[in-house]
Amino acid sequence: MARPTARVLALLELLQAGGTRTVVDLAERLGVDQRTVRRYVEQLRDMDIPVEGVRGRYGGYRLARHYRMPPLMLNDEEGLAVVWALLVTQHAHSGPVTPLAMETATAKVRRVLPAALARRIDAVLRAVDFTGERHPDAEDHDDAEARPGADEGARTLLGLAEAARDRRPVAFAYRTRQGRAATRHVEPHGIVAHRNLLYLTGFDADRRAQRTYRLDRMADLRLLPGAFEAPATVDPVAQVLGPLSAAPSRYDVCVLIRADPAHVRRWIPETLGTMTPASPPEGADGQDWLRVFLRAERLEWVAGTLAMLDRPFVVQQPEALKAAVLALGRRLAEHAAR
């Protein structure tokens, strides 16, 4: 924002986000000194915009309480669509605009939404986390079933976000990875956007364990009576990424597996690894080979997973995985011989 006019408008957007903003904070956000901030405030007052000065230790500037923009006429799905697009762009670190522009645009839309919808959008903004991975062209779906409609998906996201915010248990119909219908009773902890999909993390009351669920497999969400206390150590992102989340010190694993995608996904879900069709390795017969890529901290875990798959495979990397597989095979043979 090289032009002073643009900075004045940005100051207005920051003030319209609500609350009292200190001169130091405003100067830092706008990239100017404190004296310039005060001059911009006077320019806003010259335009009949009621900017109030607040004295004291926590003083600064704020807009007069009566100053409001008219409500923006959007329904729930439309309001969520606008805010979600801004949120995804901000976390993807892409596009031609600055983080300040993203924040002020989100604040503007949030501010002019009807009060009831604004509260629901606020719940989404607080409940959803991002893993930091962006795969706009990823084929990360292990099945070809029809996705829920946009209306149902938006209602599910809004309802789950409010339940996570208010610590309310929920129940919903769920279609498992194997295609079976089930009913789940869950204490929702958070929502995570990962690889173009949304996941709910929470405590499954029936299984008495932490579980992760894909939102696109949910239907008929309903609130249950009562409330719950979330554990202080809950980390929705870590729960979605699991033990194989990306880190510089962990192994990059690539394996060719001869199996159908549904069988592989029983043991390596989409939160742990990617899967793409591959040509048969040299000297191998048959088709239906897949290239599976994942990151692992312990190669013994990968070796055990390959054993559970019980399908032909070829290790492409790392070389140490071959030794881990052979060692596991020897141990299994020794145990079976006893």
Side-chain angles (χ1 to χ4, degrees), residues 54-55 183 277:
V54 180
R55 296 182 179 276
T183 300

Side-chain angles (χ1 to χ4, degrees), residues 3 72 108 122 126 131 138 148 170 179 215 222 262 297 305 313 317 330:
R3 294 175 299 171
L72 187 63
K108 178 188 292 185
D122 284 346
R126 285 194 291 267
T131 63
V170 297
L215 266 67
R222 63 185 187 277
E297 184 172 322
T305 301
F313 66 87
Q317 68 177 53
R330 287 193 297 268

Side-chain angles (χ1 to χ4, degrees), residues 1-331:
M1 295 181 297
R3 294 175 299 171
T5 302
R7 293 197 185 97
V8 172
L9 294 177
L11 170 62
L12 176 60
E13 292 302 324
L14 290 171
L15 294 175
Q16 285 178 328
T20 301
R21 308 294 290 263
T22 67
V23 177
V24 174
D25 177 48
L26 293 172
E28 181 179 345
R29 301 301 301 276
L30 297 172
V32 298
D33 57 36
Q34 298 181 32
R35 180 178 180 183
T36 303
V37 170
R38 295 185 178 92
R39 188 170 72 249
Y40 290 164
V41 168
E42 292 304 319
Q43 292 182 36
L44 290 176
R45 289 170 173 168
D46 290 341
M47 293 185 287
D48 294 328
I49 296 174
V51 181
E52 297 178 343
V54 180
R55 296 182 179 276
R57 180 180 179 184
Y58 301 103
Y61 292 105
R62 67 186 181 196
L63 289 180
R65 300 186 184 281
H66 67 271
Y67 183 76
R68 292 290 185 272
M69 294 179 67
L72 187 63
M73 301 307 295
L74 296 175
N75 61 29
D76 287 7
E77 289 74 30
E78 292 169 339
L80 178 61
V82 173
V83 174
W84 186 258
L86 291 167
L87 191 64
V88 170
T89 304
Q90 180 179 356
H91 284 271
H93 304 292
S94 62
V97 295
T98 64
L100 175 60
M102 287 292 176
E103 181 177 338
T104 55
T106 303
K108 178 188 292 185
V109 174
R110 156 64 185 83
R111 186 174 58 256
V112 298
L113 290 173
L117 176 56
R119 287 193 295 271
R120 304 193 77 188
I121 295 296
D122 284 346
V124 173
L125 295 178
R126 285 194 291 267
V128 176
D129 291 307
F130 287 76
T131 63
E133 298 191 31
R134 181 172 179 267
H135 299 270
D137 301 320
E139 293 294 332
D140 199 27
H141 308 314
D142 54 43
D143 43 30
E145 77 279 2
R147 302 285 176 211
D151 290 353
E152 182 178 348
R155 286 195 297 269
T156 300
L157 175 57
L158 289 167
L160 286 173
E162 289 182 306
R165 178 196 63 192
D166 300 335
R167 298 291 188 258
R168 292 284 305 277
V170 297
F172 50 85
Y174 193 71
R175 184 172 28 79
T176 67
R177 191 183 304 115
Q178 292 77 27
R180 296 190 297 269
T183 300
R184 298 287 187 255
H185 300 84
V186 179
E187 297 175 356
H189 294 161
I191 301 167
V192 177
H194 176 66
R195 294 184 180 276
N196 294 343
L197 292 172
L198 288 172
Y199 297 87
L200 169 70
T201 67
F203 182 77
D204 190 305
D206 299 318
R207 291 160 181 76
R208 309 301 300 173
Q210 300 290 335
R211 288 291 187 268
T212 302
Y213 307 94
R214 272 174 44 171
L215 266 67
D216 61 310
R217 291 177 176 162
M218 296 180 185
D220 303 326
L221 176 72
R222 63 185 187 277
L223 286 176
L224 298 178
F228 65 90
E229 290 292 332
T233 58
V234 66
D235 187 341
V237 171
Q239 184 173 331
V240 168
L241 293 179
L244 305 183
S245 56
S249 61
R250 295 173 181 175
Y251 296 97
D252 287 340
V253 175
C254 184
V255 182
L256 297 179
I257 303 174
R258 185 183 176 186
D260 62 272
H263 180 75
V264 173
R265 283 304 187 206
R266 290 183 60 191
W267 307 104
I268 306 177
E270 62 273 4
T271 55
L272 300 184
T274 60
M275 180 175 60
T276 57
S279 302
E282 185 177 354
D285 297 327
Q287 303 299 320
D288 301 326
W289 284 85
L290 301 169
R291 175 174 286 104
V292 178
F293 175 82
L294 49 85
R295 292 186 175 92
E297 184 172 322
R298 296 176 60 250
L299 293 179
E300 293 80 5
W301 183 94
V302 182
T305 301
L306 293 173
M308 289 186 292
L309 279 168
D310 193 22
R311 294 293 188 273
F313 66 87
V314 176
V315 175
Q316 291 195 315
Q317 68 177 53
E319 195 70 21
L321 178 56
K322 298 179 181 179
V325 172
L326 291 172
L328 176 61
R330 287 193 297 268
R331 289 196 301 272

